[in-house]
Amino acid sequence: MTPKEKAKQLVDDFTYIDNGEMFQIIGVKQRIRAKQCALIAVNEILDVLDAESWGMEMDTAFDNQRFWKDVKKEIELM
């Protein structure tokens, strides 16, 4: 999964959390809240990766952090 696909998935997950209807009409406020929630989730993941990266191989830790930073950028661009 690409960072762009993951960003869309996260925002969609928070957008449609109420009833799971993919075809519901969503308002701007709801979409903004969904993006904020997705960013909070990604920031939490990045915090954990920063704290735990010492236990991973450096290449793996760097790849994970880069992926989630790219996801964060994609969410911000939405």
Side-chain angles (χ1 to χ4, degrees), residues 1 4 6-8 11 16-17 19-20 24-25 29-30 39 46-49 54 57 62 64-65 71 74-76 78:
M1 180 174 283
K4 187 172 189 169
K6 188 62 174 181
K8 182 182 179 328
V11 173
Y16 303 110
I17 201 165
N19 63 9
Q24 71 182 13
I25 297 171
K29 286 183 182 181
Q30 184 179 7
L39 287 169
L46 286 168
D47 287 347
V48 169
L49 286 174
W54 55 267
E57 292 184 30
F62 180 74
N64 286 337
Q65 287 176 341
V71 170
E74 292 293 338
I75 293 170
E76 290 168 343
M78 295 176 106

Side-chain angles (χ1 to χ4, degrees), residues 48-67:
V48 169
L49 286 174
D50 283 343
E52 299 290 329
S53 63
W54 55 267
M56 296 182 204
E57 292 184 30
M58 290 305 290
D59 290 343
T60 303
F62 180 74
D63 288 344
N64 286 337
Q65 287 176 341
R66 182 177 47 194
F67 175 81

